[in-house]
Amino acid sequence: MSVQLPRTFPLATIPLDDAVRTQFRLLECVAARFEGQQLFEADAGVVPDLGRPRTTARVESVLADFFGAEDAALVQGAGTGAIRAALQGAVGAGDPLLIHRAPVYRTTAVTLRGLGVRTVEADFNDAAALREALESGEFGWAYVQHSRQRLADSYDMGDVLAACRAAGVRTIVDDNYAVMRAPSCGVELGADASCFSLFKLHGPEGVGAVVGAADVVERVRADNYSGGGQVQGHQALDALRALTHVPVMWAVQSQVGAEIADRLAAGEVPGVAEVRIANAQDRCLLVQLDRPVARELPAAAARHGAAPYPVGSNSRYEIAPLFYRMSSSSLDDAPELADRTVRINPMRAGADLVIEILRRSLHDLKD
């Protein structure tokens, strides 16, 4: 017997016309910080008085301008490295850190354990519960994940950050999966820092960013003084070039996802019981099947051209539609979905291909 999917509250997305304007605005920020030939040149090393390559510093200034922040730092370790760097500069062993009452993303849990902070949970979906926690006066910092940790999460990022700010609590936001897809990221909504992976934005492997308040970024930069820890100039330029494609790419992907959801809900593919759009990590489709074949579906879909597992969730390697299991943190919260629910991300594909792969895969898995 199938289990009904919970109601989801996906993050708003940027419409295509707005995404085009976002791309143009990014290039305006680039032009303000780079002379033409510098876009074809890249340096390396710990430049005196900068502590990092000049090219990297220019890209950081572009990011700060684009997001309306005081400063930005590129770091190694992708999104996980960015989150770790920001938290390490903000809280220490034994310090209280306010977090949402939900399963913590696995790599973030490792960071929190390593830092030895004392996490305290409050339900961010409940404004009164959040306000009560903030008014306790216990916290200097809160950590907020922009993408949903639980499928039924409904909190508004702007409201959570405003409540923290009113209570004098500073905020670090995990903006992975939300930057350039949601209309505003954490720092644009008033957070002290937004942390995200540029690998998830088609950039090179391992590059992340911390964008936000000058004191937060300065602590990140001071901790990352080693030459071997720097994001070198060629990496920074590579990330910037890739970023120019992302707004339009993700707007198209969001449109395709909505079309697939409508067509599946209308019964176009036999064997689909229910569908939801959700931010289960990345924005995706949760497809509930009428038979318990969800664990076998990714391998079957791969035989028809789908990607059977993620690389970076919208990295440059991921062009084929992704057919995959629910995320570990989602299954921690709702293990009953494992046998009948898959997540599908169209990536660069159109709705027709995604639906045809799903149709053929379900046909292959018939008894």
Side-chain angles (χ1 to χ4, degrees):
M1 183 176 179
S2 63
V3 178
Q4 188 173 20
L5 289 173
R7 181 185 177 191
T8 58
F9 299 85
L11 303 177
T13 58
I14 301 174
L16 183 56
D17 287 347
D18 288 346
V20 172
R21 285 189 284 271
T22 299
Q23 174 184 312
F24 294 166
R25 183 167 62 84
L26 175 61
L27 267 296
E28 290 165 3
C29 295
V30 172
R33 295 289 182 170
F34 279 83
E35 295 180 10
Q37 74 274 10
Q38 292 169 342
L39 289 168
F40 304 116
E41 301 169 349
D43 62 334
V46 183
V47 175
D49 299 325
L50 269 181
R52 60 204 190 277
R54 292 184 181 87
T55 307
T56 301
R58 289 191 191 99
V59 172
E60 290 170 341
S61 66
V62 170
L63 293 178
D65 290 349
F66 178 76
F67 290 109
E70 292 178 347
D71 205 350
L74 297 181
V75 298
Q76 300 288 0
T80 299
I83 292 166
R84 182 177 298 125
L87 284 173
Q88 182 173 288
V91 292
D95 289 348
L97 179 68
L98 182 63
I99 64 172
H100 178 40
R101 181 168 295 137
V104 177
Y105 190 56
R106 295 288 176 85
T107 55
T108 305
V110 172
T111 293
L112 295 174
R113 185 176 71 242
L115 293 174
V117 298
R118 179 169 58 86
T119 56
V120 180
E121 296 182 347
D123 186 354
F124 291 177
N125 299 308
D126 184 336
L130 174 60
R131 185 169 57 251
E132 181 180 356
L134 291 169
E135 290 175 352
S136 69
E138 182 180 4
F139 306 102
W141 289 88
Y143 172 80
V144 190
Q145 182 174 306
H146 201 155
S147 187
R148 303 308 192 188
Q149 290 172 251
R150 303 174 60 205
L151 296 181
D153 278 341
S154 59
Y155 60 82
D156 178 88
M157 175 62 70
D159 291 344
V160 171
L161 296 178
C164 292
R165 193 164 54 250
V169 175
R170 303 187 73 183
T171 48
I172 291 174
V173 173
D174 172 359
D175 260 312
N176 286 301
Y177 311 106
V179 167
M180 288 191 167
R181 187 189 289 274
S184 300
C185 70
V187 72
E188 293 172 303
L189 293 169
D192 290 276
S194 282
C195 308
F196 53 92
S197 169
L198 287 165
F199 182 49
K200 294 184 188 301
L201 301 171
H202 272 217
E205 298 88 338
V207 177
V210 180
V211 182
D215 64 327
V216 175
V217 175
E218 182 51 41
R219 285 197 293 269
V220 170
R221 200 168 279 141
D223 287 344
N224 186 35
Y225 59 86
S226 169
Q230 302 304 313
V231 171
Q232 302 300 335
H234 72 277
Q235 295 174 290
L237 266 186
D238 194 1
L240 182 62
R241 293 184 189 112
L243 202 59
T244 63
H245 302 283
V246 168
V248 171
M249 177 187 73
W250 272 13
V252 171
Q253 187 186 96
S254 296
Q255 284 187 356
V256 171
E259 179 186 345
I260 295 167
D262 288 344
R263 290 169 64 175
L264 293 180
E268 188 165 334
V269 178
V272 172
E274 196 175 10
V275 62
R276 293 272 193 277
I277 295 175
N279 289 91
Q281 296 183 355
D282 199 6
R283 185 180 180 90
C284 62
L285 299 158
L286 304 183
V287 179
Q288 188 181 59
L289 310 173
D290 61 10
R291 294 177 292 132
V293 295
R295 298 177 192 270
E296 293 79 32
L297 186 66
R303 290 191 289 271
H304 297 289
Y309 53 82
V311 178
S313 292
N314 268 294
S315 75
R316 61 178 58 183
Y317 296 100
E318 293 160 299
I319 58 173
L322 173 69
F323 283 62
Y324 196 48
R325 61 169 174 79
M326 300 284 289
S327 69
S328 297
S329 54
S330 294
L331 290 178
D332 286 345
D333 188 57
E336 69 278 5
L337 299 179
D339 290 329
R340 291 177 181 264
T341 307
V342 293
R343 54 175 164 148
I344 298 175
N345 187 324
M347 298 299 179
R348 311 287 82 77
D352 289 346
L353 177 61
V354 175
I355 287 173
E356 186 60 23
I357 289 174
L358 180 58
R359 189 196 318 275
R360 291 181 180 182
S361 302
L362 289 174
H363 181 270
D364 292 348
L365 293 173
K366 283 185 177 179
D367 294 334

